[in-house]
Amino acid sequence: MVEIKTDTALEAMREAGRVVAHALAAARDAAAVGVRPRELDEAARAVLGEAGARSPFLGYQPSFAPTPFPAVICASVNDAVSHGIPDDRRLRDGDLVSIDCGAELDGWTGDAAISFIVGTPRPADLELIAATRQALDAGIAAATVGHRIGDISHAIGTVARRAGCGMPADFGGHGIGRRMHEDPHVPNHGRPGRGFPLRHGLTLAIEPMLMAGGRNAYRTGPDGWTLRTIDGSRAAHVEHTVAITEDGPRILTLP
């Protein structure tokens, strides 16, 4: 069931989204050559605690996962597309890191992701991140009253294909509100004019995941969580929680 949020609920989600933005900023600020991904999780965890927010990631266990998720962020490095578990391996110069984080505050949820380079960037990685951000921007621009979910999906997929990137077909964005994952599903590719109609008060997490190798296939790592490119190519993941409004799309996960 799709819940259309009131304007009061949108304001509450904006506050949750603000916490997410601050947690992501803290994780990124903590990232450096030699730092462990687990330390990025600790930085984000401190922000959530100071805000009085709960992590919707910690302890989450969807049907595909063998164990509950043990952290408040997903930290996906290089060929990891998403769902990476923060561990004790040290980040190296040139690593491409994607951080996904959520926060629940006063019963409402925000969810966002960023990708960045640690240390010296490779031009190809900068191009991949730029394409992923462009795909997100295109998806958000299509998130307007009168459009449909397929218009968002088509906008994202068009940018990804133009960049020669693949996307994991089974994963995409989602509705969000009282819970992190709600209806409707928001695929990262699709046909325009199809799917659920976009109305004022609908809230969506829009999240392109692009794989540089151009293939859509992926594999799940031994931890049962981490999604990795099948060919070892690098991946990037960006996300915002967005409200559909009569005045246009409103990003709820900004600082």
Side-chain angles (χ1 to χ4, degrees), residues 46-63:
V47 172
L48 296 184
E50 290 170 6
R54 188 188 74 85
S55 169
F57 288 22
L58 184 63
Y60 179 60
Q61 187 174 11
S63 58

mmCIF file of all heavy atoms in Angstrom, residues 46-63:
data_model
loop_
_atom_site.group_PDB
_atom_site.id
_atom_site.type_symbol
_atom_site.label_atom_id
_atom_site.label_comp_id
_atom_site.label_asym_id
_atom_site.label_seq_id
_atom_site.Cartn_x
_atom_site.Cartn_y
_atom_site.Cartn_z
ATOM 1 N N ALA A 46 27.797 8.127 15.613
ATOM 2 C CA ALA A 46 27.842 9.209 16.592
ATOM 3 C C ALA A 46 26.856 10.323 16.221
ATOM 4 O O ALA A 46 26.193 10.890 17.102
ATOM 5 C CB ALA A 46 29.262 9.767 16.681
ATOM 6 N N VAL A 47 26.737 10.624 14.939
ATOM 7 C CA VAL A 47 25.793 11.660 14.498
ATOM 8 C C VAL A 47 24.362 11.242 14.799
ATOM 9 O O VAL A 47 23.550 12.035 15.305
ATOM 10 C CB VAL A 47 25.976 11.947 12.998
ATOM 11 C CG1 VAL A 47 24.870 12.867 12.494
ATOM 12 C CG2 VAL A 47 27.340 12.569 12.734
ATOM 13 N N LEU A 48 24.034 9.987 14.498
ATOM 14 C CA LEU A 48 22.685 9.505 14.782
ATOM 15 C C LEU A 48 22.391 9.595 16.278
ATOM 16 O O LEU A 48 21.305 10.016 16.690
ATOM 17 C CB LEU A 48 22.522 8.062 14.309
ATOM 18 C CG LEU A 48 22.646 7.783 12.801
ATOM 19 C CD1 LEU A 48 22.355 6.310 12.518
ATOM 20 C CD2 LEU A 48 21.739 8.666 11.984
ATOM 21 N N GLY A 49 23.360 9.190 17.088
ATOM 22 C CA GLY A 49 23.155 9.227 18.529
ATOM 23 C C GLY A 49 22.936 10.627 19.056
ATOM 24 O O GLY A 49 22.052 10.860 19.891
ATOM 25 N N GLU A 50 23.723 11.582 18.563
ATOM 26 C CA GLU A 50 23.587 12.968 19.015
ATOM 27 C C GLU A 50 22.233 13.556 18.632
ATOM 28 O O GLU A 50 21.682 14.402 19.348
ATOM 29 C CB GLU A 50 24.715 13.809 18.422
ATOM 30 C CG GLU A 50 26.089 13.483 19.003
ATOM 31 C CD GLU A 50 27.211 14.149 18.232
ATOM 32 O OE1 GLU A 50 26.900 14.947 17.313
ATOM 33 O OE2 GLU A 50 28.388 13.881 18.539
ATOM 34 N N ALA A 51 21.679 13.088 17.501
ATOM 35 C CA ALA A 51 20.388 13.600 17.037
ATOM 36 C C ALA A 51 19.211 12.877 17.665
ATOM 37 O O ALA A 51 18.057 13.268 17.446
ATOM 38 C CB ALA A 51 20.310 13.490 15.514
ATOM 39 N N GLY A 52 19.479 11.823 18.420
ATOM 40 C CA GLY A 52 18.397 11.030 18.989
ATOM 41 C C GLY A 52 17.675 10.187 17.952
ATOM 42 O O GLY A 52 16.500 9.843 18.109
ATOM 43 N N ALA A 53 18.391 9.860 16.865
ATOM 44 C CA ALA A 53 17.802 9.100 15.764
ATOM 45 C C ALA A 53 18.186 7.622 15.865
ATOM 46 O O ALA A 53 19.224 7.263 16.430
ATOM 47 C CB ALA A 53 18.265 9.659 14.424
ATOM 48 N N ARG A 54 17.352 6.790 15.290
ATOM 49 C CA ARG A 54 17.596 5.351 15.215
ATOM 50 C C ARG A 54 18.051 4.992 13.811
ATOM 51 O O ARG A 54 17.633 5.614 12.835
ATOM 52 C CB ARG A 54 16.313 4.585 15.537
ATOM 53 C CG ARG A 54 16.471 3.084 15.676
ATOM 54 C CD ARG A 54 15.127 2.385 15.791
ATOM 55 N NE ARG A 54 14.424 2.346 14.520
ATOM 56 C CZ ARG A 54 14.612 1.414 13.587
ATOM 57 N NH1 ARG A 54 15.502 0.452 13.766
ATOM 58 N NH2 ARG A 54 13.918 1.448 12.454
ATOM 59 N N SER A 55 18.909 3.969 13.696
ATOM 60 C CA SER A 55 19.332 3.498 12.382
ATOM 61 C C SER A 55 18.366 2.439 11.856
ATOM 62 O O SER A 55 18.171 1.407 12.508
ATOM 63 C CB SER A 55 20.735 2.895 12.439
ATOM 64 O OG SER A 55 21.022 2.220 11.218
ATOM 65 N N PRO A 56 17.769 2.639 10.669
ATOM 66 C CA PRO A 56 16.945 1.588 10.086
ATOM 67 C C PRO A 56 17.778 0.478 9.451
ATOM 68 O O PRO A 56 17.228 -0.565 9.084
ATOM 69 C CB PRO A 56 16.131 2.341 9.019
ATOM 70 C CG PRO A 56 16.987 3.488 8.636
ATOM 71 C CD PRO A 56 17.758 3.875 9.876
ATOM 72 N N PHE A 57 19.096 0.702 9.322
ATOM 73 C CA PHE A 57 19.972 -0.321 8.757
ATOM 74 C C PHE A 57 20.352 -1.364 9.804
ATOM 75 O O PHE A 57 20.378 -2.558 9.523
ATOM 76 C CB PHE A 57 21.258 0.313 8.221
ATOM 77 C CG PHE A 57 21.115 1.104 6.963
ATOM 78 C CD1 PHE A 57 19.900 1.635 6.564
ATOM 79 C CD2 PHE A 57 22.225 1.357 6.172
ATOM 80 C CE1 PHE A 57 19.772 2.375 5.398
ATOM 81 C CE2 PHE A 57 22.121 2.092 5.002
ATOM 82 C CZ PHE A 57 20.890 2.602 4.612
ATOM 83 N N LEU A 58 20.672 -0.895 11.004
ATOM 84 C CA LEU A 58 21.192 -1.775 12.043
ATOM 85 C C LEU A 58 20.144 -2.829 12.433
ATOM 86 O O LEU A 58 19.040 -2.491 12.859
ATOM 87 C CB LEU A 58 21.584 -0.950 13.266
ATOM 88 C CG LEU A 58 22.248 -1.695 14.423
ATOM 89 C CD1 LEU A 58 23.578 -2.302 13.976
ATOM 90 C CD2 LEU A 58 22.468 -0.760 15.603
ATOM 91 N N GLY A 59 20.495 -4.085 12.248
ATOM 92 C CA GLY A 59 19.584 -5.173 12.577
ATOM 93 C C GLY A 59 18.593 -5.522 11.484
ATOM 94 O O GLY A 59 17.788 -6.446 11.631
ATOM 95 N N TYR A 60 18.636 -4.798 10.359
ATOM 96 C CA TYR A 60 17.700 -5.050 9.261
ATOM 97 C C TYR A 60 18.040 -6.378 8.591
ATOM 98 O O TYR A 60 19.204 -6.669 8.313
ATOM 99 C CB TYR A 60 17.791 -3.909 8.255
ATOM 100 C CG TYR A 60 16.893 -4.032 7.058
ATOM 101 C CD1 TYR A 60 15.510 -4.095 7.198
ATOM 102 C CD2 TYR A 60 17.426 -4.063 5.768
ATOM 103 C CE1 TYR A 60 14.680 -4.193 6.089
ATOM 104 C CE2 TYR A 60 16.609 -4.151 4.660
ATOM 105 C CZ TYR A 60 15.236 -4.217 4.828
ATOM 106 O OH TYR A 60 14.419 -4.321 3.724
ATOM 107 N N GLN A 61 17.044 -7.188 8.310
ATOM 108 C CA GLN A 61 17.282 -8.485 7.671
ATOM 109 C C GLN A 61 16.169 -8.793 6.670
ATOM 110 O O GLN A 61 15.153 -9.398 7.000
ATOM 111 C CB GLN A 61 17.382 -9.613 8.712
ATOM 112 C CG GLN A 61 17.801 -10.950 8.091
ATOM 113 C CD GLN A 61 18.043 -12.029 9.134
ATOM 114 O OE1 GLN A 61 17.709 -11.864 10.312
ATOM 115 N NE2 GLN A 61 18.623 -13.147 8.708
ATOM 116 N N PRO A 62 16.354 -8.393 5.406
ATOM 117 C CA PRO A 62 15.383 -8.749 4.372
ATOM 118 C C PRO A 62 15.478 -10.230 4.035
ATOM 119 O O PRO A 62 16.369 -10.941 4.524
ATOM 120 C CB PRO A 62 15.811 -7.876 3.186
ATOM 121 C CG PRO A 62 17.265 -7.635 3.409
ATOM 122 C CD PRO A 62 17.461 -7.597 4.898
ATOM 123 N N SER A 63 14.597 -10.700 3.194
ATOM 124 C CA SER A 63 14.500 -12.132 2.919
ATOM 125 C C SER A 63 15.760 -12.712 2.290
ATOM 126 O O SER A 63 16.074 -13.888 2.494
ATOM 127 C CB SER A 63 13.305 -12.410 2.003
ATOM 128 O OG SER A 63 13.430 -11.683 0.786
#
